[in-house]
Amino acid sequence: ALLAFVIKLISEAMAPLVVKGEDLQKVLSSKSIPQLCEVIRCMQVAGQCQKQQQHILQGLHVAVQELMDGTYARIWTRDRRSRAKRPEEREVTPRGFEVSSVAVVDEPELRRKYDLVKSDIVGKQRVSKMHTPWTAPWAAGLDPHNNEWLLMHGTTASSAELIAQWGFSIQEASPNGVCGAAIYFAESSTKADEYTSTGNPGEERVLILCRVLGGDVHYTEEATPSKTSLAKVLRSGTSNSVLNNRERCRQTFKEYALTNVVQSLPECIVRYRQLL
């Protein structure tokens, strides 16, 4: 029903558009962040329905706040210490997060590349096991059978703008991660927050919510996995992504990694503040 509604928005983009109350309620009650973002993009293309567009933007804000709350865990890891720009951040885990704003990303070329690689991965039918991240309740409409996930990437405000426009760059990836130079994602808002340190205590933090196509996943729950081996898995294409389950072996967080950057599609930029 929601997909039909989106098609309706597109087909009527050049005509006055009035969305029935029950249709609007279906969109809002879905709490699916990818679907809400898609409806907003269609409304922006139409250039109309400003009141309804604002209503759905508010619904998106609520869904993102619920995701931030629902994937929070009060767990400290060494990454928080090593990533902190200010000494007072190093040993403190926030007690939560308050979303300030959500900006929908709309770059058709990034979507085109993502759809092409998705078609290729789905066509090969290599997926051996499905993995369900904490974000699944807010990801209706994605393809769980091919490990298509909604995940978070914590970063800086300037990097978020570049990623939203051009996509991720493997050349900018740090070689220090468990898989070497790769693009890393989190299912927990707490984990993503470790990578959003700011120089100014009052400055808003930024993360990107992305569609991520895991495809055929190399899964590990080793306490000390071999960086060389995991990097080789990604470089060789033996698997489409790596899921390092440190929740199982260290009681911390799962980490998702890939090197083919077009397997990720930015959906929206989230600005928020820590609750300390």
Side-chain angles (χ1 to χ4, degrees):
L2 185 55
L3 180 58
F5 173 65
V6 173
I7 294 172
K8 177 184 177 183
L9 284 178
I10 297 172
S11 64
E12 297 182 2
M14 301 306 294
L17 180 61
V18 177
V19 183
K20 294 180 180 179
E22 58 268 27
D23 288 333
L24 187 60
Q25 191 55 44
K26 285 178 182 178
V27 175
L28 295 171
S29 62
S30 74
K31 296 185 180 179
S32 168
I33 290 170
Q35 290 179 336
L36 288 166
C37 288
E38 192 64 26
V39 170
I40 291 167
R41 290 186 196 102
C42 292
M43 285 185 160
Q44 290 172 342
V45 168
Q48 299 181 30
C49 306
Q50 293 301 313
K51 184 176 181 180
Q52 290 176 336
Q53 182 176 323
Q54 186 60 35
H55 195 30
I56 295 180
L57 275 168
Q58 291 172 353
L60 176 62
H61 189 286
V62 169
V64 171
Q65 182 66 67
E66 287 186 5
L67 176 144
M68 297 287 281
D69 295 340
T71 64
Y72 170 84
R74 190 150 191 156
I75 298 172
W76 180 92
T77 78
R78 288 178 296 178
D79 284 346
R80 188 168 293 278
R81 178 186 296 156
S82 63
R83 297 282 177 175
K85 293 181 179 178
R86 292 176 283 111
E88 65 270 24
E89 294 183 294
R90 292 173 184 165
E91 310 300 325
V92 179
T93 301
R95 59 181 177 84
F97 309 106
E98 183 177 49
V99 175
S100 305
S101 66
V102 182
V104 175
V105 176
D106 186 11
E107 284 295 335
E109 182 61 13
L110 295 181
R111 180 59 179 264
R112 184 188 70 81
K113 291 178 179 178
Y114 180 84
D115 287 343
L116 282 174
V117 76
K118 181 177 178 180
S119 177
D120 181 59
I121 288 175
V122 171
K124 290 179 179 177
Q125 297 183 328
R126 292 170 46 193
V127 176
S128 56
K129 183 178 180 181
M130 291 168 52
H131 299 272
T132 304
W134 293 358
T135 53
W138 299 274
L142 300 189
D143 182 3
H145 298 289
N146 288 286
N147 288 316
E148 186 177 29
W149 306 307
L150 179 69
L151 297 174
M152 289 166 267
H153 180 85
T155 187
T156 64
S158 58
S159 293
E161 295 297 335
L162 290 172
I163 292 167
Q165 183 175 4
W166 303 104
F168 289 94
S169 169
I170 198 65
Q171 286 73 30
E172 299 297 323
S174 168
N176 299 325
V178 70
C179 298
I183 310 301
Y184 293 86
F185 299 90
E187 64 178 0
S188 167
S189 56
T190 314
K191 181 62 180 175
D193 177 68
E194 293 179 348
Y195 298 83
T196 65
S197 179
T198 61
N200 184 338
E203 191 176 344
E204 289 182 332
R205 292 164 183 264
V206 178
L207 62 79
I208 308 174
L209 277 167
C210 302
R211 296 189 191 209
V212 177
L213 190 60
D216 191 46
V217 179
H218 179 87
Y219 175 88
T220 179
E221 54 188 51
E222 295 180 60
T224 54
S226 166
K227 177 188 289 191
T228 301
S229 297
L230 294 182
K232 185 177 180 180
V233 164
L234 291 175
R235 285 199 310 270
S236 66
T238 305
S239 297
N240 302 119
S241 63
V242 167
L243 170 49
N244 180 26
N245 191 350
R246 303 190 71 74
E247 180 185 11
R248 180 67 63 86
C249 64
R250 296 291 194 189
Q251 291 74 55
T252 57
F253 300 104
K254 298 186 187 80
E255 297 178 339
Y256 300 76
L258 55 84
T259 53
N260 185 358
V261 296
V262 294
Q263 286 174 225
S264 57
L265 180 68
E267 285 284 359
C268 55
I269 297 175
V270 180
R271 288 176 169 81
Y272 68 95
R273 297 184 186 280
Q274 291 181 332
L275 300 176
L276 300 171

